[in-house]
């Protein structure tokens, strides 16, 4: 999220270019997917350790 906020602040004021917004949204979604995958793998690993 901090990266997305930094990118939003770093974009120039002029222009209505929507590709930057699309890139930011895609980046945030990709990061969220990676986090979900890592959390699921960690939960699965912790369950296998206790079995």
């Amino acid at each position: 999220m901090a990266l997305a906020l930094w990118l939003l602040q770093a974009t120039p004021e002029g222009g209505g270019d929507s590709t930057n917004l699309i890139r930011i949204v895609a980046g945030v979604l990709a990061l969220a997917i990676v986090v979900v995958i890592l959390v699921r793998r960690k939960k699965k690993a912790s369950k296998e350790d206790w079995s």
Side-chain angles (χ1 to χ4, degrees):
M1 287 300 263
L3 178 62
L5 292 174
W6 176 74
L7 286 174
L8 280 172
Q9 292 174 353
T11 55
E13 291 290 326
D17 196 6
S18 64
T19 58
N20 286 336
L21 181 61
I22 292 171
R23 288 178 184 170
I24 291 171
V25 170
V28 170
L29 287 175
L31 183 63
I33 290 171
V34 169
V35 168
V36 167
I37 290 171
L38 290 175
V39 167
R40 289 181 67 189
R41 289 183 70 184
K42 189 171 183 175
K43 282 184 181 179
K44 185 177 180 182
S46 67
K47 283 183 182 179
E48 289 176 357
D49 289 344
W50 291 103
S51 298

